[in-house]
Amino acid sequence: FVCQTARSRPRLDGHLEDEVWSRATVLDLTSAQHDDDAWPAAAMLAYDDEFLFLAISCKKAPGRPYPSSSETRPRDPDLKGRDRVSIRIDLDRDYASFYRLTADHRGWTGEACMENVHWDPTWYVASEETETDWTVEAAIPLRELTAQGPRATDVWAIGLQRILPGVGIQSFTKPAAIEPRPEGFALMIFQ
């Protein structure tokens, strides 16, 4: 898929109404069991010379609790019991070393580099939640991922999936699993 250059940066507020999202490729996240009509999800990516932008839109799973929290977002909280989306970014396409960035329905985040959770990049996340949906917008500084940002025609491998504990897994590509499956990564071409 193509990752478009952002003509203007999104305002990180969890509302996916910015011009950049109207131009971005929509990546539908689906279940291999085709049992997810009631809880669809999608993601979009864009970039500029400083950031990789990510937008996530998810319908809440019927009957699933989505407790909120008034706490300040902690560093690397346990998100295992939460509805969440993870993106894995493999810059050199070796399918062995990659970054993992995760955001849940509250906008709480977790990160790892080659599954080392002590990698703590600075990235910016905003979330919005309604009775039926949740969204996340994120800006990931490219300097946190690479010394030189991508140029047009550069290619990264991307794994993108939503995990709903006790409900299912959705992914842009197959196969998908909670643990990384590099053969399920897609190629993202910068344009």
Side-chain angles (χ1 to χ4, degrees):
F1 72 94
V2 172
C3 184
Q4 298 282 343
T5 302
R7 292 181 186 161
S8 60
R9 291 181 177 167
R11 179 174 182 221
L12 298 183
D13 57 9
H15 298 281
L16 309 182
E17 300 164 350
D18 302 283
E19 182 266 342
V20 64
W21 304 131
S22 68
R23 297 182 57 244
T25 302
V26 177
L27 308 173
D28 291 317
L29 307 180
T30 58
S31 166
Q33 287 74 35
H34 308 289
D35 59 354
D36 57 348
D37 288 342
W39 41 280
M44 295 175 280
L45 291 148
Y47 77 107
D48 68 10
D49 58 343
E50 289 184 63
F51 295 96
L52 179 65
F53 301 107
L54 171 65
I56 301 164
S57 174
C58 298
K59 180 75 71 180
K60 291 182 177 178
R64 177 92 178 130
Y66 285 83
S68 61
S69 179
S70 59
E71 296 176 53
T72 302
R73 181 171 50 200
R75 175 67 75 180
D76 292 323
D78 182 1
L79 302 177
K80 288 185 178 112
R82 301 292 181 153
D83 187 354
R84 63 195 185 274
V85 172
S86 286
I87 183 170
R88 291 178 172 95
I89 304 169
D90 184 346
L91 303 178
D92 61 3
R93 300 181 319 279
D94 67 356
Y95 301 96
S97 58
F98 50 84
Y99 299 102
R100 178 183 43 81
L101 298 152
T102 303
D104 75 2
H105 65 94
R106 302 166 296 174
W108 287 26
T109 62
E111 312 86 18
C113 176
M114 294 187 293
E115 295 307 312
N116 176 351
V117 297
H118 299 294
W119 175 65
D120 290 322
T122 298
W123 58 308
Y124 308 96
V125 177
S127 64
E128 182 64 30
E129 197 170 0
T130 68
E131 289 290 317
T132 59
D133 301 275
W134 63 273
T135 57
V136 165
E137 279 182 298
I140 305 155
L142 292 169
R143 71 178 178 278
E144 296 287 354
L145 305 174
T146 180
Q148 180 177 332
R151 294 170 299 211
T153 71
D154 281 355
V155 179
W156 292 355
I158 298 288
L160 190 59
Q161 65 187 27
R162 178 187 187 188
I163 302 158
L164 284 91
V167 178
I169 297 174
Q170 295 171 308
S171 180
F172 168 58
T173 58
K174 307 297 180 261
I178 292 174
E179 295 303 315
R181 300 275 309 258
E183 66 270 26
F185 285 14
L187 297 179
M188 180 173 72
I189 303 166
F190 290 91
Q191 192 175 66

